[in-house]
Amino acid sequence: MKVSSRSWIAELKEFGITVDTSKRRLAEYSYDASNYRIPPLGIVFPRSAQEIVMVMKVCHQHQIPVTSRGGGTSMAGNAVGRGLVLDLSRHLNKVLRIDLISKQATAEVGIVLETLQSTIENETHNQLTFAPDPSSKSRATLGGAIANDACGNHSVRYGRTSAHLVALNLVTADGVQITATNTGIEPTFPNDDSAASRAAELTSALCSLVEANAQDIRLELDRIPRQVSGFQLAHLLPEQGFDVARSLAGSEGTCAVIVSATVQLVPTPSASMLLALGYSDVIQAAKDVPTILEFGPAAIEGMDRAIVETMRRIRGPESVQGLPDGSAWLYVDLDGEDASDIETKASQLMSRLALNGRLVGGRVITKASERLSLWRVREDGAGLSSRLASGAESWPGWEDSAVDPERLANYLADLSKLLDKFHLVGIMYGHFGAGCMHIRINFDMRTNTGRRIMTDFTHAAAELVISYGGSLSGEHGDGRARSSLLPIMYTPSIMNAFDNFKHLWDPAGILNPAVLTNPEPIDSHLALDGVPGRRWETNYVLDGETSSASQHETDPFIRSVQRCVGVGRCRTISGGVMCPSFRATRDEKDSTRGRSRVLQEIVRSAQTIDEGWRSQEAHEALDLCLSCKACSVDCPVQVDMATYKSEFLSHFYRHRLRPVSHYSLGWLPRWLRFAGHFAPSLNLILASPLAKPIAVLGGITPKRRLPRLASHADLLQVIAAQRQRVDPTKTPDVVVVIDSFTKGFRPDVAGAAMRVLESAGKSVKCESNMCCALTYITTGQLSTAAKILKHSVSLLDDGTDRPIIVLEPSCAASLKNDLPQLVPTRAARRVAQRIHCFSSMVADLIDAGWRPEWRTGGPPQQVTVQTHCHEYAIFGPNSQRRVLRALGVTQVDEATGCCGVAGNFGFETRHFDLSMKVAQQALGPTLETTASSVPVLADGFSCRMQILQLDPQRHPLHLAELLDQSLSTPKARSAQ
């Protein structure tokens, strides 16, 4: 008799194990980074191997399917399943042991690869590391690398993950703990009789399986460097030492739950050199791979122009530095113990490539900044190739084929012809040195015709790669995307051996069913199948140029929230700014991806979330979004969650009473207009015991330090002083907008900014009677925001193209980015194009030759900067650093990350604790190491308030104040 799902969930609860079956959680885990969507029954976040044992015993008894999951970055659909999902990344993420003698490390499988590598390198003083480095290493886990037998950028030198496995600690499908080693299977704990019995049974059965299929295994498996498809039975052969640990690499969670792994470490090279080589196309690049391999490189990675163009559009021209001429590029990493030997080898290689006649351009990358930018492009390839600069969408499905590197060029030529035959375009990048290609293709996944073409093409491509002696998968695994194609690649005898191997480990078939064995058709459970054609009325005019008729017909809001393809860069804990709330909680729901998946379920109107704009689940998912906008630039597919949150809140609260903070903080510009006239009296109240209860009434936490209000008279004084310096007979060169935050809290910044601009020879017009509507936007009061912005446009659209400089970075970002989307008029677009934040304007002045004349002693030698997230996202991450360096500051220390206040967020009672936790990601530690004499810049008012919260003795400055304090005379001079 079938037992109800409630009984197994209740049974697990008796063991202290909670199964999360909330609609929001199911939505988050219905997707990975593939084309597939399968809502699970529930999610468990195991805290120990013993909890996994109990989960497996209960699921085995009740025949509940189980899918293990790490970072959820699978592109083949092997991290989604219809039963229970085990998220091993939440708690099982520690390094357990590092042994310098054996050069081995043992770690739990939920640890992120980058964290594992940095921990090992720190512990061994950078002498040893874990070699596999897939492009997703900043969020992919050790367990995922083992499950897919991942490789990475340096696989030419180090091979696949399987080559580095020593032992795997497992929990079997029925809850027994055993360990797979390089020579067999043993009980994890010596006195566990049931485990010893299971280990002996499995050993005997596996030996019999290999003996019966040895000839076929030798003929069909392990033929090329990247033959990942299917099970790795070749490692069980006698000549391979019956290596059970390696045989489980690439098994995609279908045989056992891996709890921890012991891995072999490799020495870190003493010296390395990166060469960037340009070619006319990827086929010409592939033709040079055999020559390059003769020189023993550590990496040969490649990509085409479309990815580079997309990166430059998202993050600016400076985001890709150092590439030579060409339309396709190879990165060649040479390493060794002697730098001079590497230089000689590089010179010889360049000479050989020049003789080949295919090289368009080539250069040695010596600058660290260029190396970082080039590897960043390659590491973001999956996302960048998904949403191109042209607006076209592309998808995985045939993104992971592999051939012998010697045959790669011919394979790519024939694959290009096949794409042409199906009228498809493929964006190509990948591990050229290992013959493994990652190709995103512009399948039309939104229509039956497009999905049929995808299926037909994939079958034809499988036939093609097999004709080259290749593999369906070279690193990502077969999953749901390719498992049904395995009979094209392997004979019936090997397919039967695969079935038997799976059955020996998992007789009931509950572990990741439909993957590798007994697969479903590749067009089953496609995420975009069944999305209704409903129109969603929005306040924002959401863009979305696309590449097919069906995509043009897709509702802009649906298309926008479906930008997320699951690559998971928002789950990183270092580098960039995205996603501050995930970095604080480490919960999928607080990642940009998690929020996107919930919104994607809303537009499906499917079984998981069906309340649309009124969805409580979506409201919960969006609650901890700080609206920092970092995702709009850090996310390789430019998910703009701040915009989606504002849009959602505008509908969620329509005809509803809002939180009180939406009126107190959301209407802040209105209150400031009134408060400025009574600032002295109000400041006395704010400094009294009455301040805290008043704050609480306004939805503001009593823990937050409140700002001191500026008097309206102070503002008038600043404006009057500037007007005295204006020549009324001349048309001003620039317009300075004194925004609500500057007017209400620090009008001195406006005076400083105008004096600095005048010192650069610019005449200034001051505009203080307008608002950017930022606080209304972030609280989702979009109809009001649009009215305010229309008024602002009427004041600013003056028929000129002179720059409009906004002193508060978030207000500048609102006028630059939100204005044309909320007020879709030509006038609004004209105004938006003219908007500058102060630092970007100073950068333009410096580029034009201006330099300030410093007082005696010159500029400060060291400055610490907290760049506002909106400035980072809209105006670029490096404008402050670039300005300070150009002005002669020798040491610029940046607190790279969100400050945690983010407008109203950090002032609200329910968000204060998280706000302070976010502050400790970068800002807090940076302030602790900054001497009191060092100037700290915080152009953003929110950032300034957080600095004062963390260190009340600091006096953070606006860039305009720093420059104004240091200028000797209000004049400009040309740079010599």
Side-chain angles (χ1 to χ4, degrees):
M1 182 178 72
K2 183 175 178 61
V3 182
S4 70
S5 62
R6 182 58 53 193
S7 65
W8 67 267
I9 291 174
E11 194 172 334
L12 285 173
K13 190 173 183 179
E14 291 176 4
F15 293 113
I17 299 170
T18 300
V19 181
D20 193 334
T21 59
S22 66
K23 290 182 178 180
R24 192 212 74 240
R25 187 66 83 187
L26 299 185
E28 294 158 11
Y29 285 81
S30 293
Y31 306 81
D32 51 13
S34 70
N35 297 330
Y36 297 94
R37 168 191 173 272
I38 301 179
L41 294 177
I43 318 298
V44 168
F45 303 95
R47 294 178 179 273
S48 66
Q50 191 55 40
E51 283 196 359
I52 296 175
V53 168
M54 302 314 302
V55 167
M56 294 313 304
K57 285 182 175 179
V58 171
C59 289
H60 184 264
Q61 178 186 353
H62 298 293
Q63 297 295 284
I64 304 298
V66 176
T67 299
S68 298
R69 179 172 168 131
T73 57
S74 164
M75 295 186 191
N78 33 23
V80 290
R82 62 173 59 88
L84 185 69
V85 172
L86 297 179
D87 184 340
L88 304 174
S89 69
R90 186 81 174 275
H91 302 297
L92 297 177
N93 51 24
K94 295 178 285 298
V95 176
L96 303 176
R97 181 180 64 91
I98 298 175
D99 188 333
L100 296 179
I101 303 300
S102 63
K103 298 182 180 179
Q104 294 176 357
T106 301
E108 294 173 322
V109 293
I111 192 169
V112 171
L113 290 172
E114 197 167 71
T115 303
L116 173 63
Q117 291 169 335
S118 63
T119 302
I120 293 168
E121 289 162 8
N122 289 337
E123 287 288 325
T124 64
H125 304 290
N126 211 35
Q127 297 300 305
L128 298 172
T129 192
F130 179 60
D133 60 344
S135 296
S136 58
K137 66 181 180 180
S138 62
R139 59 271 191 199
T141 62
L142 174 60
I146 296 169
N148 288 355
D149 202 3
C151 309
N153 296 333
H154 290 82
S155 65
V156 176
R157 167 82 73 247
Y158 299 112
R160 312 198 307 248
T161 297
S162 55
H164 307 275
L165 296 182
V166 177
L168 303 177
N169 292 323
L170 312 171
V171 175
T172 64
D174 58 347
V176 177
Q177 288 185 269
I178 58 176
T179 297
T181 72
N182 291 150
T183 57
I185 308 171
E186 58 191 36
T188 301
F189 302 105
N191 297 323
D192 187 340
D193 293 337
S194 63
S197 176
R198 174 58 58 82
E201 291 172 2
L202 273 170
T203 298
S204 176
L206 290 173
C207 286
S208 298
L209 174 67
V210 173
E211 184 178 355
N213 296 277
Q215 183 176 350
D216 291 323
I217 291 172
R218 291 187 178 99
L219 286 173
E220 297 191 47
L221 302 182
D222 208 18
R223 294 174 289 103
I224 61 172
R226 288 297 192 95
Q227 189 174 343
V228 169
S229 283
F231 290 111
Q232 307 304 307
L233 303 186
H235 296 302
L236 297 176
L237 291 168
E239 59 266 32
Q240 299 290 341
F242 194 63
D243 192 335
V244 181
R246 292 186 67 177
S247 76
L248 290 171
S251 59
E252 305 182 36
T254 61
C255 295
V257 179
I258 306 174
V259 178
S260 63
T262 299
V263 297
Q264 195 70 47
L265 307 180
V266 301
T268 55
S270 299
S272 64
M273 175 181 289
L274 180 65
L275 304 181
L277 310 175
Y279 293 88
S280 59
D281 58 45
V282 293
I283 297 172
Q284 294 302 307
K287 289 180 179 179
D288 267 355
V289 166
T291 298
I292 300 171
L293 286 172
E294 294 176 20
F295 289 78
I300 309 175
E301 297 293 296
M303 62 184 175
D304 72 9
R305 175 178 291 277
I307 293 174
V308 173
E309 289 175 346
T310 300
M311 183 71 153
R312 284 175 169 155
R313 181 182 65 84
I314 293 174
R315 300 191 181 102
E318 293 183 354
S319 64
V320 184
Q321 305 173 32
L323 281 180
D325 291 339
S327 295
W329 294 271
L330 293 179
Y331 299 172
V332 178
D333 203 353
L334 301 174
D335 64 11
E337 299 305 313
D338 188 285
S340 61
D341 288 346
I342 297 172
E343 290 179 7
T344 300
K345 185 185 292 186
S347 177
Q348 292 171 347
L349 172 58
M350 295 294 285
S351 297
R352 282 283 303 279
L353 294 177
L355 289 174
N356 287 352
R358 289 181 282 267
L359 195 64
V360 174
R363 61 188 301 265
V364 176
I365 308 302
T366 56
K367 292 183 179 179
S369 60
E370 291 183 349
R371 289 176 66 100
L372 287 173
S373 76
L374 292 182
W375 280 120
R376 175 72 184 273
V377 180
R378 173 60 190 86
E379 289 169 1
D380 278 352
L384 294 170
S385 59
S386 296
R387 299 292 182 269
L388 297 172
S390 65
E393 297 176 338
S394 65
W395 305 93
W398 190 253
E399 85 294 340
D400 193 36
S401 56
V403 297
D404 189 292
E406 296 280 345
R407 309 186 72 182
L408 180 61
N410 289 339
Y411 167 63
L412 292 181
D414 283 345
L415 183 62
S416 296
K417 293 176 183 176
L418 186 64
L419 287 164
D420 291 341
K421 178 180 177 181
F422 281 85
H423 305 291
L424 297 170
V425 175
I427 311 304
M428 297 185 183
Y429 63 103
H431 312 291
F432 280 55
C436 180
M437 290 303 301
H438 297 323
I439 307 170
R440 308 287 285 213
I441 299 174
N442 66 332
F443 299 124
D444 180 1
M445 304 296 286
R446 302 178 187 276
T447 66
N448 290 332
T449 299
R451 290 187 287 271
R452 185 171 61 252
I453 290 172
M454 183 271 291
T455 301
D456 292 343
F457 171 83
T458 303
H459 279 83
E463 297 280 0
L464 175 64
V465 77
I466 301 310
S467 74
Y468 273 89
S471 178
L472 306 175
S473 172
E475 157 169 60
H476 293 165
D478 297 306
R480 299 177 182 279
R482 289 175 286 275
S483 290
S484 65
L485 303 175
L486 286 173
I488 299 175
M489 181 173 176
Y490 293 116
T491 61
S493 61
I494 284 292
M495 292 301 300
N496 185 60
F498 288 166
D499 290 340
N500 290 337
F501 183 73
K502 158 74 171 177
H503 183 76
L504 292 176
W505 287 98
D506 178 24
I510 65 170
L511 290 172
N512 216 1
V515 171
L516 290 176
T517 59
N518 298 314
E520 297 172 310
I522 61 176
D523 57 355
S524 300
H525 309 291
L526 292 173
L528 295 188
D529 189 5
V531 179
R534 168 182 172 179
R535 305 301 293 183
W536 293 75
E537 296 299 326
T538 59
N539 298 276
Y540 278 93
V541 176
L542 299 167
D543 58 8
E545 181 187 355
T546 49
S547 60
S548 75
S550 72
Q551 290 167 355
H552 282 299
E553 294 166 3
T554 304
D555 178 78
F557 182 70
I558 293 177
R559 192 167 57 242
S560 293
V561 301
Q562 287 176 343
R563 291 188 73 86
C564 176
V565 293
V567 295
R569 179 164 277 278
C570 49
R571 286 176 56 97
T572 59
I573 59 173
S574 63
V577 175
M578 172 184 73
C579 177
S581 52
F582 174 81
R583 293 182 179 187
T585 68
R586 307 294 173 89
D587 191 328
E588 178 74 14
K589 83 176 180 67
D590 299 318
S591 67
T592 306
R593 182 179 72 179
R595 297 182 180 111
S596 294
R597 296 317 196 185
V598 173
L599 292 175
Q600 287 172 14
E601 288 299 285
I602 286 177
V603 300
R604 288 186 65 89
S605 299
Q607 65 263 40
T608 50
I609 296 179
D610 53 11
E611 297 91 355
W613 290 126
R614 299 288 177 150
S615 168
Q616 290 290 340
E617 290 80 11
H619 187 271
E620 181 182 355
L622 292 165
D623 181 53
L624 297 187
C625 171
L626 286 83
S627 296
C628 68
K629 293 190 85 72
C631 52
S632 68
V633 63
D634 279 351
C635 173
V637 296
Q638 288 188 283
V639 170
D640 185 355
M641 193 53 61
T643 293
Y644 308 158
K645 179 179 181 179
S646 295
E647 188 67 66
F648 176 82
L649 291 178
S650 71
H651 297 276
F652 184 85
Y653 286 115
R654 190 180 182 207
H655 305 313
R656 281 181 172 178
L657 191 64
R658 288 174 168 269
V660 66
S661 63
H662 285 202
Y663 302 107
S664 60
L665 298 169
W667 292 7
L668 186 63
R670 295 180 183 178
W671 305 132
L672 288 176
R673 283 200 299 270
F674 165 82
H677 295 286
F678 305 96
S681 300
L682 291 174
N683 283 329
L684 288 175
I685 295 173
L686 292 175
S688 75
L690 292 174
K692 289 186 177 180
I694 292 173
V696 171
L697 288 175
I700 299 171
T701 175
K703 300 177 184 178
R704 174 64 63 185
R705 178 190 177 109
L706 296 177
R708 182 177 179 81
L709 294 164
S711 169
H712 187 61
D714 295 337
L715 174 65
L716 293 178
Q717 185 177 359
V718 168
I719 295 173
Q722 186 273 332
R723 285 177 176 169
Q724 289 178 1
R725 301 192 298 269
V726 171
D727 182 348
T729 65
K730 293 183 178 180
T731 301
D733 299 312
V734 298
V735 177
V736 171
V737 170
I738 308 180
D739 55 87
S740 297
F741 293 100
T742 303
K743 283 186 292 187
F745 301 112
R746 46 179 186 174
D748 288 349
V749 168
M754 289 186 283
R755 286 191 294 273
V756 170
L757 292 169
E758 289 165 356
S759 78
K762 299 295 181 182
S763 57
V764 178
K765 175 186 177 182
C766 175
E767 177 58 71
S768 62
N769 294 317
M770 55 147 292
C771 177
C772 71
L774 171 70
T775 59
Y776 300 95
I777 291 170
T778 56
T779 54
Q781 302 179 71
L782 296 184
S783 59
T784 301
K787 293 176 184 177
I788 292 170
L789 288 171
K790 287 176 182 176
H791 173 69
S792 297
V793 168
S794 68
L795 294 176
L796 294 174
D797 186 34
D798 55 12
T800 73
D801 60 357
R802 59 186 173 178
I804 300 171
I805 304 159
V806 186
L807 304 178
E808 167 60 39
S810 58
C811 296
S814 178
L815 292 170
K816 187 79 170 177
N817 180 255
D818 295 273
L819 168 60
Q821 295 182 74
L822 288 170
V823 183
T825 64
R826 291 181 180 178
R829 288 192 290 274
R830 286 195 296 268
V831 169
Q833 289 170 357
R834 295 166 54 197
I835 298 295
H836 293 257
C837 66
F838 183 76
S839 65
S840 69
M841 187 64 207
V842 173
D844 286 351
L845 293 174
I846 289 172
D847 289 343
W850 172 75
R851 296 293 187 277
E853 289 186 355
W854 298 96
R855 292 178 180 143
T856 303
Q861 294 302 296
Q862 181 180 355
V863 174
T864 293
V865 178
Q866 169 63 37
T867 301
H868 195 288
C869 293
H870 287 188
E871 179 176 345
Y872 173 92
I874 305 302
F875 298 97
N878 299 315
S879 59
Q880 296 264 6
R881 174 185 288 272
R882 190 160 67 91
V883 166
L884 292 169
R885 285 281 174 80
L887 296 179
V889 178
T890 56
Q891 181 177 341
V892 181
D893 299 317
E894 288 187 80
T896 305
C898 182
C899 73
V901 172
N904 58 294
F905 185 92
F907 280 87
E908 293 170 337
T909 300
R910 69 182 189 278
H911 293 148
F912 176 80
D913 290 342
L914 182 72
S915 168
M916 299 310 295
K917 195 170 183 180
V918 169
Q920 292 304 322
Q921 293 168 9
L923 178 58
T926 302
L927 290 176
E928 289 174 5
T929 59
T930 299
S932 59
S933 59
V934 173
V936 175
L937 292 190
D939 285 11
F941 176 72
S942 295
C943 304
R944 178 176 184 271
M945 291 308 301
Q946 190 71 300
I947 291 170
L948 292 173
Q949 186 80 25
L950 293 167
D951 187 353
Q953 304 308 312
R954 293 279 181 187
H955 180 62
L957 300 173
H958 192 284
L959 176 61
E961 293 176 302
L962 178 71
L963 293 176
D964 184 50
Q965 290 176 4
S966 302
L967 289 172
S968 58
T969 55
K971 66 179 182 179
R973 69 182 178 89
S974 299
Q976 300 300 317

